[in-house]
Amino acid sequence: MSNFLRSLVLGVLFSLVNTSIPQPWYATLPAIIADYKVHIDAGKEDCYFQYASAGADFYVNFQVIRGGDGKAGLAVRNPEGVLVHPYQWLPDSAYQDTVKNAGYYSICVDNQFSRFASKLINLYISVIRYDEWDKYSRELEELHLSVDNFTSTITNVEKNMNEMLQTQHLSRSREARDLNLLLDNNFYVQMWSIAQITVIIITTTTQVYFVRKLFNVKPSKYSRAGI
């Protein structure tokens, strides 16, 4: 019931946001790429909003770098408030879509299943407008320049660069996650080793003390030594 109410509230907020807020200053840019490291407290959920123009290519990816079981949930809602990517408790997840109606996408990172451990999340968001290259091509054609091959090459280079950026982001996220996992394991092994060494030293000292005390017999007054 609580999930239904939460979805209903988010849908209402989405309707208000997309009907009352004008386009942001970056709406006409050909590309928007954002890479965040987000700290999510235990039992909490954080939501972020990204504007996307109609016809743009929207992409979001998240990966848990550190904390708890290394998993979290990602939910994405389109500008109409429809849940297009439902929650799944995973170490990483991604969603890609071609924007039909301009508006704000909602990206929510959920850590409510983890009651005690906070999470460090790497969040990557990109909005690419390939139609801007068509406008550039038309402007060049008005100058009576034959640049079909040139424009096609630039478009291919742009697409390849965006794919490379996404791949590099995934590679950096996995590298950061592996490094944090290595450091956590190293700390775990060191602490357990110190604890075991401490227990061994205490046990050995106690055994030596009681063994020496066992052989420490005081002579009786009726013994030969006493006579």
Side-chain angles (χ1 to χ4, degrees), residues 62-128:
F62 98 106
Q63 187 171 28
V64 180
I65 298 178
R66 182 176 57 194
D69 59 355
K71 296 181 180 180
L74 175 69
V76 181
R77 289 178 173 83
N78 63 13
E80 288 77 26
V82 179
L83 184 64
V84 292
H85 185 75
Y87 285 103
Q88 289 182 330
W89 196 250
L90 298 171
D92 57 85
S93 182
Y95 173 76
Q96 189 169 8
D97 185 25
T98 300
V99 183
K100 295 181 180 179
N101 297 318
Y104 286 88
Y105 275 81
S106 169
I107 303 104
C108 295
V109 182
D110 184 17
N111 192 30
Q112 296 186 16
F113 287 107
S114 181
R115 297 298 181 184
F116 303 101
S118 60
K119 305 289 176 59
L120 181 64
I121 308 293
N122 196 347
L123 187 63
Y124 177 86
I125 304 171
S126 66
V127 180
I128 311 297

Side-chain angles (χ1 to χ4, degrees), residues 149-162:
N149 294 332
F150 176 73
T151 305
S152 177
T153 302
I154 290 181
T155 303
N156 292 331
V157 169
E158 175 69 15
K159 292 181 179 179
N160 293 333
M161 287 180 60
N162 292 326

